[in-house]
Amino acid sequence: MDTSNAHGGKLINLYAEGEALLLEKEKAKSNASWDLTPKQMFDIELLLNGAFSPLTGFLGQADYNSVVDTMRLADGTLWPMPVTLDVTEAFAESVNIGDEITLRDPEGVVIANMVISDLWTPDREREAELVFGTLDDMHPGVRALLNDNPVYLGGKLTGVTPPLHYDFAQYRLTPLEMRERFIEQGWDKVIAFQTRNPIHKAHVIMMKRLMARTQAKLVIHTAVGRTKPGDIDHFCRVRCYEKILPYFPEDSVAIRLLPLAMRMAGPREALWHAIIRQNYGFSHFIVGRDHAGPGRNNRGGLFYGATEAQELVSSLQSELNIQVLKAPFLRYVEGRGEFCEEHELLSGEAGLYISGAELKQMLCHGQPIPDWFAFPEVVEELNRTLPPRLKQGITLFFTGLSGSGKSTLANGVMVKLRELGGRHVSLLDGDVVRKNLSSELTFSKEHRDLNIQRIGFVASEITKNGGIAICAPIAPYTKTRRLVRSMIEEVGVFVEVHVATPIEVCEARDRKGLYAMARAGKIKGFTGIDDPYEEPQHPELRIDTSQHSMTDAVNTVIERLREMGLVE
């Protein structure tokens, strides 16, 4: 099959076969091994099957620097996103350039071998500023990047075992398989529609218009790797897509899954998505308004301009072998009973529109979804999967200095929530967790981080199952708190409460004499004395217990939960 229209001129296949495969399996037995993270599992699948052509492995330092700076590989080939293998310092110190390592899935299955060509410690803040255009930790891509392991390894991959998936196998095709399927079906022009959200009436009308304009078929090619924390999971989304297929002409639309870990990098990511779809053999690709945008920043505005992604991809059209289509923005005009593009609106017609965030809020608060907006079958599926906020799991994360009153406050909130009822409530107090879950840990920075991660894991399991987890550790480090927030927001609601009691008050309350011992040098690394407490920048609530009675403080937390629609 001719794959010369793939990006870079050739569709890459990195899997070994025959005798070469047996040799790779044998080498894996003695190689040092790295267990791939969830994001790395998605990246390596698309590297090995050619979706990331022309890449032949994780980027080396020269390519990485060039991509970050110019959106091009070192040889000048257009490539907007760094695809890197991040590892711990301990693992990096155990290997050298020229070594071969084996990359395994979480179960220990050999996925690929890699010869290390580069090993370096990147400037993460610089990468965030250039790739995402911001250091705002409200950006999920920035937050994830700053939580990644500190060292990058680059090198060429040799594939051994394709990652195994149990869900929706009928919708999972490699780039080569997708190209073969298009030939079998006689689909010579095919549009790819990238989405991480459910599809509603305006989307269907938009897709039908573009299909008619280009005389092309369409594939809903949805990302099923990491998206934005809090997004509706792909299991529900795919079931929603299945519900809308009857609204299209027969044999004109298909569903396919893309195992992509999104970065939410806006314009750069839109270009990346187009290149990936070119490698899958599509002739056209729809770029939406605010494509791959992460939502709003800490000032309330969008991280990227509404049409910035469309403009960037269009400006580079000449370097792509896929035709970019700009998704029209449709609004519903009640008086006409139809969807119109903005330029079609008459004087005085504002048009109606519901954003993805607004839809989720409506579902979370049990509000009816207008008939003009969504198909009833899709709403029914969403209601099955996304319960109202009053039934969602929650993690309440109290953080503050020793003696700030966070444990007392957490206990009071726990009792009040139990009084209100409706969910099981579990308290994960810092001292209690230390005794029962982390008794072997010291108070080194590494072990303090590990203790908080353990608390976060337990809290995520409670939250995932619809309960309320109340955590009250000191948790002094921003990066670790970000990690826990990301973990929780995958499965429920995270509410950070900064107990911002001044250190002078905390020290005066100190019944154990810890501050005095720290000032005397008898305790090292004590938070607030000789180890920093990094204050949360954007907590859901900030409260100083020296300014309130504990009863008032408890009521303030409960009232904030009511404002967020989490309790009645």
Side-chain angles (χ1 to χ4, degrees):
M1 176 185 293
D2 180 18
T3 63
S4 59
N5 63 345
H7 193 56
K10 178 184 178 183
L11 187 67
I12 300 296
N13 174 18
L14 298 179
Y15 283 104
E17 298 178 348
E19 292 294 327
L21 177 59
L22 296 177
L23 177 61
E24 294 299 324
K25 289 182 176 179
E26 190 62 30
K27 289 192 293 183
K29 295 177 181 178
S30 57
N31 285 345
S33 289
W34 172 257
D35 291 341
L36 295 160
T37 65
K39 183 193 83 170
Q40 292 166 359
M41 281 294 297
F42 290 114
D43 284 352
I44 202 169
E45 180 169 0
L46 297 181
L47 283 166
L48 296 176
N49 70 20
F52 284 173
S53 297
L55 304 191
T56 58
F58 289 103
L59 294 183
Q61 190 169 5
D63 280 326
Y64 162 82
N65 287 332
S66 184
V67 167
V68 169
D69 289 341
T70 70
M71 297 197 303
R72 295 179 183 276
L73 300 173
D75 67 3
T77 303
L78 190 64
W79 189 266
M81 294 298 298
V83 180
T84 52
L85 182 68
D86 58 292
V87 301
T88 62
E89 289 178 338
F91 185 80
E93 289 170 1
S94 72
V95 296
N96 297 293
I97 291 175
D99 288 353
E100 183 174 67
I101 61 173
T102 292
L103 306 176
R104 299 176 182 269
D105 74 7
E107 303 300 320
V109 175
V110 176
I111 301 299
N113 291 327
M114 185 180 90
V115 177
I116 301 172
S117 61
D118 298 81
L119 186 158
W120 77 102
T121 300
D123 182 341
R124 295 298 178 79
E125 291 194 351
R126 179 174 179 276
E127 180 179 341
E129 271 197 296
L130 291 174
V131 173
F132 299 109
T134 182
L135 288 175
D136 186 342
D137 67 1
M138 292 287 285
H139 192 300
V142 171
R143 195 185 309 157
L145 174 64
L146 297 180
N147 282 326
D148 280 348
N149 294 307
V151 182
Y152 285 170
L153 302 183
K156 186 172 181 179
L157 292 167
T158 302
V160 176
T161 310
L164 180 62
H165 301 285
Y166 297 101
D167 59 318
F168 302 116
Q170 71 275 27
Y171 298 143
R172 293 182 181 271
L173 299 181
T174 68
L176 186 60
E177 290 168 341
M178 188 90 84
R179 288 164 173 265
E180 290 171 343
R181 185 67 59 88
F182 290 158
I183 292 172
E184 290 170 8
Q185 295 174 302
W187 289 15
D188 58 337
K189 291 194 290 185
V190 191
I191 302 169
F193 179 53
Q194 152 73 28
T195 178
R196 67 177 215 273
N197 294 308
I199 290 175
H200 303 294
K201 290 183 178 179
H203 301 114
V204 170
I205 292 170
M206 176 270 292
M207 288 187 279
K208 284 183 174 180
R209 288 185 181 184
L210 294 178
M211 291 168 70
R213 187 185 306 168
T214 58
Q215 291 297 293
K217 308 294 187 179
L218 182 134
V219 171
I220 301 166
H221 201 209
T222 183
V224 297
R226 184 185 71 185
T227 57
K228 180 182 174 182
D231 277 354
I232 294 168
D233 67 51
H234 77 272
F235 301 102
C236 174
R237 287 190 279 117
V238 174
R239 293 194 297 270
C240 289
Y241 304 150
E242 291 173 332
K243 297 288 194 300
I244 64 150
L245 292 183
Y247 292 94
F248 289 89
E250 188 175 357
D251 192 35
S252 67
V253 177
I255 299 169
R256 297 289 180 256
L257 307 190
L258 176 68
L260 177 71
M262 291 183 65
R263 275 63 163 179
M264 311 307 300
R268 278 191 181 229
E269 183 141 353
L271 177 59
W272 194 39
H273 289 176
I275 290 171
I276 292 167
R277 276 27 183 256
Q278 177 180 320
N279 288 329
Y280 271 92
F282 289 100
S283 59
H284 297 75
F285 177 61
I286 299 173
V287 177
R289 289 168 59 95
D290 194 29
H291 191 108
R296 301 198 175 275
N297 57 33
N298 59 20
R299 299 179 302 282
L302 293 174
F303 278 98
Y304 309 110
T307 61
E308 192 176 340
Q310 293 177 336
E311 292 164 3
L312 175 67
V313 182
S314 294
S315 72
L316 294 164
Q317 176 69 75
S318 62
E319 296 187 59
L320 300 172
N321 283 322
I322 189 169
Q323 185 68 38
V324 176
L325 303 173
K326 296 180 181 179
F329 184 55
L330 300 178
R331 293 182 180 273
Y332 183 73
V333 181
E334 280 189 294
R336 290 194 256 169
E338 63 181 3
F339 286 91
C340 297
E341 295 183 37
E342 287 182 291
H343 68 85
E344 297 171 331
L345 295 174
L346 303 177
S347 177
E349 288 183 333
L352 301 174
Y353 170 73
I354 298 175
S355 70
E358 290 169 336
L359 173 65
K360 191 173 179 185
Q361 285 296 311
M362 294 172 74
L363 291 166
C364 287
H365 290 94
Q367 298 172 349
I369 308 302
D371 289 340
W372 63 263
F373 177 76
F375 298 103
E377 309 95 306
V378 173
V379 173
E380 182 181 357
E381 187 60 52
L382 290 172
N383 281 325
R384 284 180 56 213
T385 302
L386 192 66
R389 272 203 148 187
L390 288 170
K391 296 183 180 179
Q392 289 183 27
I394 309 167
T395 289
L396 267 172
F397 196 89
F398 294 85
T399 171
L401 295 168
S402 177
S404 61
K406 61 186 177 301
S407 294
T408 306
L409 180 56
N411 270 286
V413 170
M414 174 189 67
V415 172
K416 192 65 180 176
L417 288 172
R418 286 179 174 172
E419 175 191 327
L420 295 174
R423 300 181 183 90
H424 291 293
V425 184
S426 302
L427 177 63
L428 303 174
D429 181 73
D431 291 338
V432 175
V433 169
R434 273 279 178 181
K435 180 179 178 181
N436 293 284
L437 190 65
S438 300
S439 59
E440 85 284 7
L441 299 183
T442 68
F443 286 88
S444 68
K445 183 181 187 303
E446 180 185 4
H447 280 189
R448 276 184 284 181
D449 281 345
L450 181 56
N451 181 55
I452 301 304
Q453 289 173 40
R454 288 180 181 179
I455 291 173
F457 172 75
V458 175
S460 72
E461 290 298 304
I462 294 168
T463 302
K464 181 169 64 177
N465 288 287
I468 298 178
I470 300 178
C471 312
I474 293 174
Y477 307 123
T478 300
K479 181 177 179 180
T480 314
R481 293 195 302 265
R482 281 190 191 129
L483 184 64
V484 173
R485 178 183 285 272
S486 297
M487 199 184 305
I488 301 300
E489 288 181 341
E490 293 287 338
V491 294
V493 181
F494 184 85
V495 180
E496 185 175 49
V497 180
H498 177 206
V499 186
T501 308
I503 190 170
E504 298 80 13
V505 176
C506 297
E507 196 164 353
R509 291 174 176 174
D510 184 18
R511 292 176 297 176
K512 300 176 184 178
L514 299 176
Y515 282 96
M517 286 190 282
R519 290 196 183 279
K522 296 178 181 179
I523 299 176
K524 300 295 184 183
F526 189 80
T527 301
I529 303 299
D530 59 346
D531 195 68
Y533 177 79
E534 300 169 0
E535 290 196 358
Q537 296 302 303
H538 310 291
E540 280 68 24
L541 178 65
R542 201 184 306 272
I543 188 165
D544 176 353
T545 61
S546 69
Q547 301 299 311
H548 304 270
S549 71
M550 194 52 69
T551 297
D552 287 344
V554 168
N555 289 335
T556 298
V557 175
I558 297 298
E559 186 56 36
R560 181 69 181 109
L561 296 179
R562 285 198 177 102
E563 291 172 0
M564 296 176 71
L566 296 169
V567 299
E568 290 183 310

